[in-house]
Amino acid sequence: IIAELRIRHQSEISVEDIAWTRGVAVRETLIEGAEARLVRIGSTAIASINSAIPEPGRKRFAIAHELGHFELHSGGGEIAICEGRDIAAWRREAAAGETEANEFAAELLMPEFLFEPMCHAFEPSIDLVATLSGEFRTTLTAAAVRYTEFSPHRCAVVLSERGRIAWYKASRDFGYHIAVGGEIHPDSYGADILAGREVPRRMDLSPARAWVDGRQLKPAALIKEESILFRRYGAVLSLIHIHEDIEDAGSDDEDGIDGIDNWERGMKWGRR
């Protein structure tokens, strides 16, 4: 679709106009209990987007998500109703169709040939993700997920809801599992921000054990973390970055001592 429309810059991605060229008319209306609805009529459709959604980026993603259903799931019935959980379907248990519609939306709004080169200039940070989000006029969460696909760094984005990890997406070489469904670790900045404590507004050192599941971690292994609160949704978005080797080689070497020293310095910078 991007190639057919000869789109060469992210400013040219008008998702409503793109949907129209594909036979989908977009309208905003109040929808109770859902974020979007697609009504298919033969080879055309109407995509209704909940006018109560406050963020323009979230509305754009919802439109692209419904267009994904239209393009990919022609045998799925005449009416599709999508809740907020569906349009943010980065969870492992999400229905395959919802995940596919999200992947379609991500590629439509953040095409690889435009998005990927912008992921290499800087170290991982929420500021970088926010810049990408602004450039492509999509949600911070969607930009963070897309960033992990193309980042040259070992990083992951984690969403926590009501004090528990809801889902995560990691770069291909991240190398660790994050315990989905478990409580957010009390030694993480994510837990601090949920508790109303002040946290750094930048990437900062955090104990690796607060995030990654690994029996071979160095005793004082550190990673970098930055967490922000989505107050409206009661959720925390965390970006974590494995910036150094955190594996235990089986001996007490100087790296372990350096790790402890770094952790002590981190406490002086505001850690508990």
Side-chain angles (χ1 to χ4, degrees):
I1 293 171
I2 294 291
E4 286 178 9
L5 295 175
R6 300 182 181 180
I7 288 172
R8 293 291 179 265
H9 190 268
Q10 53 268 26
S11 63
E12 300 170 357
I13 303 173
S14 172
V15 68
E16 294 91 342
D17 291 344
I18 292 172
W20 178 260
T21 69
R22 306 300 294 181
V24 178
V26 177
R27 66 167 189 158
E28 284 193 29
T29 187
L30 190 62
I31 305 174
E32 294 292 339
E35 292 213 346
R37 180 176 62 233
L38 183 75
V39 179
R40 187 188 302 270
I41 309 164
S43 60
T44 61
I46 298 173
S48 300
I49 309 302
N50 194 343
S51 58
I53 300 173
E55 304 93 347
R58 195 175 180 100
K59 286 182 179 178
R60 279 171 52 82
F61 200 87
I63 295 167
H65 178 97
E66 296 308 311
L67 182 58
H69 279 308
F70 179 77
E71 296 285 350
L72 301 173
H73 307 137
S74 59
E78 298 302 310
I79 300 177
I81 298 175
C82 295
E83 300 177 355
R85 291 174 60 88
D86 299 325
I87 296 177
W90 309 111
R91 308 165 193 267
R92 289 182 301 178
E93 71 274 14
E98 300 302 339
T99 300
E100 289 168 356
N102 267 357
E103 291 172 349
F104 177 96
E107 177 60 31
L108 183 71
L109 297 178
M110 298 169 281
E112 180 176 351
F113 79 99
L114 294 174
F115 193 92
E116 191 267 346
M118 299 177 68
C119 296
H120 291 264
F122 304 99
E123 293 285 309
S125 70
I126 295 293
D127 276 349
L128 173 58
V129 171
T131 297
L132 294 169
S133 171
E135 279 287 326
F136 291 87
R137 293 173 291 156
T138 189
T139 65
L140 192 69
T141 301
V145 169
R146 194 70 165 154
Y147 173 72
T148 64
E149 293 183 38
F150 303 120
S151 174
H153 304 283
R154 296 174 68 187
C155 59
V157 58
V158 186
L159 188 80
S160 305
E161 297 174 335
R162 295 181 292 277
R164 291 188 176 275
I165 295 173
W167 55 260
Y168 76 96
K169 295 286 286 187
S171 59
R172 290 186 183 91
D173 61 347
F174 186 71
Y176 290 92
H177 172 68
I178 296 174
V180 173
E183 292 185 2
I184 190 167
H185 198 284
D187 287 337
S188 68
Y189 287 126
D192 286 344
I193 203 169
L194 275 176
R197 290 186 284 268
E198 187 174 349
V199 300
R201 296 183 180 179
R202 57 174 172 23
M203 279 287 193
D204 210 338
L205 297 175
S206 188
R209 59 181 169 77
W211 286 107
V212 299
D213 181 14
R215 297 181 180 181
Q216 303 302 318
L217 294 178
K218 294 177 181 177
L222 300 172
I223 60 175
K224 291 183 178 180
E225 174 197 348
E226 186 174 2
S227 292
I228 59 170
L229 177 66
F230 293 149
R231 196 175 304 278
R232 177 183 178 87
Y233 301 101
V236 173
L237 188 75
S238 301
L239 183 64
I240 59 177
H241 174 207
I242 299 178
H243 64 294
E244 61 184 13
D245 181 23
I246 60 176
E247 287 287 326
D248 188 354
S251 62
D252 295 329
D253 55 18
E254 292 182 1
D255 288 341
I257 295 172
D258 288 344
I260 293 171
D261 289 343
N262 286 337
W263 175 241
E264 288 175 348
R265 284 196 291 272
M267 291 179 68
K268 294 176 184 177
W269 297 335
R271 297 294 289 159
R272 289 174 288 118

